[in-house]
Amino acid sequence: MNNLKSRLAKEKRFKAYGIISIITALTLLTILFVSIFSQGYTAFQETRIQLPVYFDQEILDPNKTSDWDNIKKANFNGLVKQSLRNLFPEVSGRSNKRKLYKIVSSSAEYQIRNIVNNDLSIIGSKQNIWVLADDDVDMLIKGNINRNLPENERRIDDQELMWIEYLESENLIKKVFNKTLFTSGDSSESEQSGILVALLGSFYALLITLALSFPIGIATAVYLEEFAPKDNKFVDFIEVNINNLAAVPSIIFGLLGLAIFLNFFEMPRSAPLVGGMVLSLMTLPRIIIPARAALKSVPPSIREGALGLGASNVQAVFNHVLPIATPGMLTGTIIGMAQALGESAPLLIIGMVAFIVDVPQGFTDPATALPVQIYLWADTPERGFVERTAAVIMVLLIFLILMNSLAIYLRKKFEKNIT
Amino acid sequence: MFDNEELIKETKSQALNSETVGDIHVDDPRIIAKNINVFYGDKPAINNASIDIGKNEVLAMIGPSGCGKSTFLRCLNRMNDTIDTCRVEGELFLDNENILDKKTDVVSLRAKVGMVFQKPNPFPKSIYDNVAYGPKIHGMAKNKIELDEIVFKSLDKAGLFEEVKDRLDAPGTSISGGQQQRLCIARTIAVSPEVILMDEPCSALDPIATAKIEELIYDLKKNFTIVIVTHAMQQAARVSQRTAYFHLGNLVEVGPTSKIFTTPQHKLTESYITGRFG
Ligand SMILES: Nc1ncnc2c1ncn2[C@@H]1O[C@H](COP(=O)(O)OP(=O)(O)OP(=O)(O)O)[C@@H](O)[C@H]1O
Ligand SMILES: [Mg+2]
């Protein structure tokens, strides 16, 4: 009786410990997510200002050539300035005007240039164009700069604030979905910077990693588990090495990549190709080990059943063992890829950490990667980059969650089919 | 350690003066085993066993646990090849071909000598695919119609067709244990073997399922040579014509089942039959 009581109490206590630790973990995770989200969600919007642009023939194409090669040299910046002056005709004096010009992003000029390029017939007409606001204005609109602070403590002075409030009252300023974030590369101006280079860099690098480490990893696992002679010194040696590789810090793979791929084979620096190769070195053992475990967990009776029917060794493995082990192997692969996606150290070493504006067109163009972009932007004190850093983290987390959910889904799905 | 050495010593000493009692020969043999020795590493598991197995007979192999019944059985389709440490010596003729020869193609041998295992081990595929797998890999059917015929016939011979005919697409693992074991028998029959080896096929089954399998063995005897390992002596008595008694790796006695169970000649056999050890 007493015994039973103490046993139940023990069980209860043990359960309580488990629940407490889960709650602690969940709380910490929630704090992490909330802090990232609260800092980052505003980055998914950007502020735009409506400019009444007069596409002045005199400025754009005084000789009426209608030839883009001529027009492209025109002073588009002047056009933007003129539009701003038209919006606030009362502003006078050099320094005031310069301040006024700075409420829109320097990208406004290129935006207008593009519009003209797309449609030359627009020359001579008047259009309202939504251009990107400067990052300080953006911060103010998003509420990240407190309007009630004394003037000398905020980055927007009273005059600028007056202009912005005028724009607000006229509905000439608005927040829209931040397409820039997903369509451009890095920039020194936070409002013009985006993660496309990092996104594509990660994508290309992961493609290389998958293409290299999946077939090699699975083949290695199948060979070692199914065909390699047992009790062979050489096989044991390989096995020990694979297990060791899984524990090697990833930065060392980066150094290896630097020494071999970059310095010896003279492959391009900062390229997703090399990044993917380095990542696959790191991912290989992480694919091989779970794949072997998956193969090992296939009941030997299945193999014997196939052999007993006269299936050859290869047939038994490919027709029966592999299909059963597939979900386990896929799960391992996906988790390995997720780890590769979150890896930054080896990429830093092989130079995927540069300031890259141009979107990579292929595997050998310089690029960065998502975690590296976090590292780059986290270093910048500007408020605009802080919010964008949090946004990249969120994007990365979403990918990681998606990949891990896929792994769990696959496991669940195939588990049902087997037992 | 001590026990093991003791066992080996004892086994060795017995091996020297062990002669199989009873008649190891039959008039119409399908399998002739001559001086089979099996070792796991250095450890002997079968000592100099010789026996004939006749066509259309059921041979039961009995003996205490660890005496080498499974080991001997697995020689007959070279399943011991899959164990790295296992070494088989001697001669084993199936239809006048020495199947222990290195040149023997184990794939076609195993098609001729099928095996049913202790625990039902259907593949995690549909019932149909379980049975169709063997004929497929051996190229026994030219088209779907022929394959269907083989599958249905095999299921029928295994007494399973009526029970599963509406759910041939269901996974082979979804039926009851007894049905699974009959599915495994159907799977084995499907490649038209000459010999079927069964290693304690009923040990994981309840009495009703067991009775069904025994009935099945009785029917299969007409077309196949069957070698069955069993711990249940009544089962051996019910299904077999001849019985072989193994003890510590020695083939102690062979004879007609009725004789072994009523008037065993060797005193080890007698002790086992009367339940003095097991
Ligand atoms: N894979 C193996 N490696 C090493 N020794 C083995 C192996 N398989 C069997 N043995 C040994 O060989 C001897 C015979 O084993 P076997 O499995 O043939 O016995 P059995 O008569 O079938 O026993 P049971 O009735 O328990 O199934 C035993 O001593 C066993 O320990
Ligand atoms: Mg056995």
Side-chain angles (χ1 to χ4, degrees):
Chain A
M1 203 48 209
N2 214 352
N3 215 338
L4 177 69
K5 230 187 209 165
S6 77
R7 202 171 66 218
L8 287 181
K10 217 178 197 173
E11 227 164 71
K12 240 187 197 160
R13 231 179 309 137
F14 197 74
K15 250 190 209 159
Y17 293 150
I19 290 172
I20 288 170
S21 52
I22 289 176
I23 288 176
T24 318
L26 280 182
T27 317
L28 291 176
L29 206 63
T30 315
I31 292 172
L32 176 77
F33 278 11
V34 166
S35 83
I36 292 171
F37 187 78
S38 62
Q39 290 205 41
Y41 78 99
T42 49
F44 293 103
Q45 289 197 312
E46 61 186 356
T47 308
R48 287 187 175 260
I49 294 173
Q50 195 188 62
L51 284 187
V53 181
Y54 173 45
F55 291 90
D56 195 344
Q57 181 99 47
E58 279 308 302
I59 296 180
L60 292 174
D61 193 15
N63 302 330
K64 304 200 169 136
T65 56
S66 294
D67 179 5
W68 174 245
D69 282 332
N70 264 327
I71 300 170
K72 72 180 180 192
K73 292 173 201 144
N75 183 5
F76 290 95
N77 193 20
L79 216 57
V80 173
K81 286 177 177 167
Q82 193 189 54
S83 312
L84 279 165
R85 282 198 305 271
N86 290 343
L87 203 53
F88 297 101
E90 74 283 359
V91 177
S92 62
R94 265 184 92 105
S95 67
N96 279 346
K97 278 184 182 165
R98 200 175 293 149
K99 216 188 302 177
L100 175 65
Y101 300 151
K102 269 172 49 191
I103 67 167
V104 298
S105 165
S106 57
S107 71
E109 174 188 346
Y110 304 106
Q111 191 184 343
I112 287 176
R113 193 165 177 263
N114 270 338
I115 291 172
V116 177
N117 187 12
N118 286 341
D119 182 12
L120 288 180
S121 69
I122 208 167
I123 294 173
S125 69
K126 224 173 190 167
Q127 304 276 339
N128 288 329
I129 310 282
W130 286 99
V131 301
L132 207 53
D134 184 63
D135 52 347
D136 286 336
V137 177
D138 185 47
M139 286 299 119
L140 185 90
I141 294 294
K142 286 172 178 170
N144 290 335
I145 293 176
N146 187 349
R147 299 181 192 206
N148 301 324
L149 283 176
E151 186 181 6
N152 56 1
E153 283 178 28
R154 55 176 140 77
R155 287 182 62 99
I156 299 269
D157 69 18
D158 284 348
Q159 193 177 22
E160 288 167 311
L161 192 58
M162 211 181 68
W163 293 331
I164 293 168
E165 279 170 355
Y166 168 75
L167 290 172
E168 280 179 319
S169 65
E170 297 289 314
N171 279 330
L172 294 176
I173 191 162
K174 68 173 178 185
K175 284 188 286 183
V176 295
F177 175 71
N178 191 349
K179 248 169 70 184
T180 315
L181 183 64
F182 296 100
T183 52
S184 49
D186 207 353
S187 165
S188 51
E189 300 293 328
S190 66
E191 81 275 4
Q192 294 172 37
S193 64
I195 59 170
L196 186 60
V197 170
L199 215 50
L200 284 176
S202 277
F203 176 72
Y204 287 140
L206 279 198
L207 270 191
I208 296 281
T209 307
L210 186 66
L212 286 176
S213 57
F214 182 69
I216 298 178
I218 298 299
T220 309
V222 170
Y223 174 75
L224 285 179
E225 206 50 54
E226 302 293 333
F227 298 107
K230 303 274 178 291
D231 294 324
N232 181 314
K233 285 264 156 48
F234 184 65
V235 174
D236 287 349
F237 175 75
I238 290 178
E239 192 167 344
V240 169
N241 272 296
I242 289 172
N243 290 335
N244 272 341
L245 278 186
V248 168
S250 56
I251 196 157
I252 294 182
F253 289 113
L255 287 172
L256 187 76
L258 176 69
I260 294 181
F261 299 143
L262 294 189
N263 292 348
F264 188 74
F265 287 108
E266 302 190 337
M267 290 174 141
R269 212 161 241 289
S270 313
L273 174 68
V274 182
M277 286 163 74
V278 169
L279 288 178
S280 52
L281 288 179
M282 192 195 82
T283 311
L284 260 176
R286 295 178 185 178
I287 289 181
I288 295 173
I289 292 171
R292 291 191 65 182
L295 288 168
K296 220 176 243 157
S297 71
V298 175
S301 64
I302 296 290
R303 205 164 303 159
E304 285 198 323
L307 293 177
L309 279 177
S312 67
N313 226 339
V314 174
Q315 279 171 329
V317 169
F318 281 87
N319 299 345
H320 298 286
V321 178
L322 276 188
I324 299 178
T326 301
M329 298 198 293
L330 285 187
T331 309
T333 304
I334 293 170
I335 291 174
M337 296 305 289
Q339 284 173 334
L341 175 63
E343 196 58 64
S344 56
L347 302 183
L348 296 181
I349 303 246
I350 58 131
M352 283 183 82
V353 64
F355 176 83
I356 292 155
V357 180
D358 295 323
V359 174
Q361 301 298 323
F363 294 102
T364 50
D365 288 352
T368 57
L370 285 174
V372 177
Q373 199 65 54
I374 295 172
Y375 168 83
L376 282 170
W377 283 350
D379 233 15
T380 337
E382 263 174 75
R383 189 64 184 81
F385 278 119
V386 171
E387 105 181 345
R388 274 168 144 78
T389 309
V392 199
I393 296 177
M394 280 156 74
V395 171
L396 184 61
L397 282 178
I398 288 170
F399 277 115
L400 292 179
I401 290 171
L402 282 180
M403 289 169 89
N404 287 324
S405 318
L406 180 68
I408 292 173
Y409 168 77
L410 281 178
R411 190 161 57 212
K412 285 266 144 61
K413 187 181 161 208
F414 283 94
E415 244 169 24
K416 269 188 224 132
N417 294 351
I418 288 165
T419 42
Chain B
M1 199 58 212
F2 174 76
D3 271 4
N4 221 351
E5 270 169 20
E6 200 63 351
L7 189 86
I8 292 170
K9 251 188 228 154
E10 193 185 340
T11 314
K12 273 184 183 154
S13 69
Q14 281 192 357
L16 289 177
N17 51 23
S18 87
E19 272 291 305
T20 305
V21 179
D23 194 2
I24 58 168
H25 297 292
V26 295
D27 297 336
D28 191 12
R30 171 153 272 155
I31 294 176
I32 302 170
K34 279 186 185 164
N35 307 95
I36 299 293
N37 284 287
V38 184
F39 304 88
Y40 288 109
D42 296 332
K43 200 178 120 212
I46 296 285
N47 304 306
N48 224 21
S50 300
I51 187 172
D52 293 356
I53 303 169
K55 285 183 182 143
N56 305 90
E57 80 166 359
V58 178
L59 173 73
M61 303 208 293
I62 58 171
S65 188
C67 66
K69 306 179 295 289
S70 299
T71 303
F72 186 78
L73 192 73
R74 291 162 60 93
C75 292
L76 302 180
N77 67 346
R78 296 235 338 230
M79 212 54 183
N80 283 330
D81 287 12
T82 59
I83 300 168
D84 288 332
T85 56
C86 187
R87 189 158 49 85
V88 181
E89 289 169 0
E91 287 175 311
L92 194 49
F93 293 95
L94 171 69
D95 300 330
N96 299 323
E97 186 199 353
N98 184 4
I99 59 172
L100 293 184
D101 199 317
K102 287 251 158 14
K103 278 177 264 171
T104 304
D105 175 16
V106 288
V107 167
S108 58
L109 168 67
R110 287 177 192 156
K112 272 195 262 178
V113 184
M115 186 158 199
V116 177
F117 297 84
Q118 183 167 357
K119 239 183 89 206
N121 59 347
F123 303 131
K125 301 180 190 256
S126 72
I127 292 175
Y128 183 94
D129 287 339
N130 260 283
V131 184
Y133 182 68
K136 262 189 207 159
I137 58 172
H138 294 295
M140 292 169 61
K142 283 192 205 73
N143 50 40
K144 177 86 171 102
I145 301 165
E146 282 186 29
L147 189 63
D148 279 354
E149 197 185 312
I150 296 177
V151 171
F152 297 159
K153 259 200 185 138
S154 309
L155 282 171
D156 192 43
K157 277 193 208 155
L160 192 61
F161 188 67
E162 285 306 312
E163 290 164 57
V164 299
K165 65 179 177 206
D166 327 311
R167 44 179 175 145
L168 291 173
D169 290 334
T173 44
S174 68
I175 50 182
S176 79
Q179 288 174 328
Q180 288 185 19
Q181 195 61 302
R182 276 181 283 148
L183 177 61
C184 292
I185 293 175
R187 182 173 82 180
T188 308
I189 296 172
V191 294
S192 345
E194 296 169 15
V195 183
I196 302 177
L197 311 175
M198 299 184 173
D199 194 348
E200 301 182 45
C202 303
S203 63
L205 305 181
D206 63 75
I208 294 173
T210 303
K212 280 208 174 128
I213 303 258
E214 285 177 8
E215 243 171 72
L216 178 58
I217 293 172
Y218 192 83
D219 289 340
L220 293 176
K221 183 185 81 181
K222 291 171 209 140
N223 302 312
F224 306 99
T225 301
I226 297 176
V227 185
I228 178 171
V229 171
T230 177
H231 272 286
M233 269 172 289
Q234 288 86 352
Q235 184 171 67
R238 280 193 297 267
V239 301
S240 70
Q241 283 78 57
R242 282 169 80 228
T243 297
Y245 175 69
F246 283 81
H247 191 91
L248 289 175
N250 294 313
L251 179 51
V252 173
E253 184 166 354
V254 182
T257 301
S258 52
K259 231 176 129 191
I260 295 269
F261 282 97
T262 50
T263 52
Q265 295 174 22
H266 200 287
K267 78 175 190 317
L268 282 171
T269 319
E270 192 191 342
S271 323
Y272 183 71
I273 301 290
T274 52
R276 239 168 283 164
F277 52 78

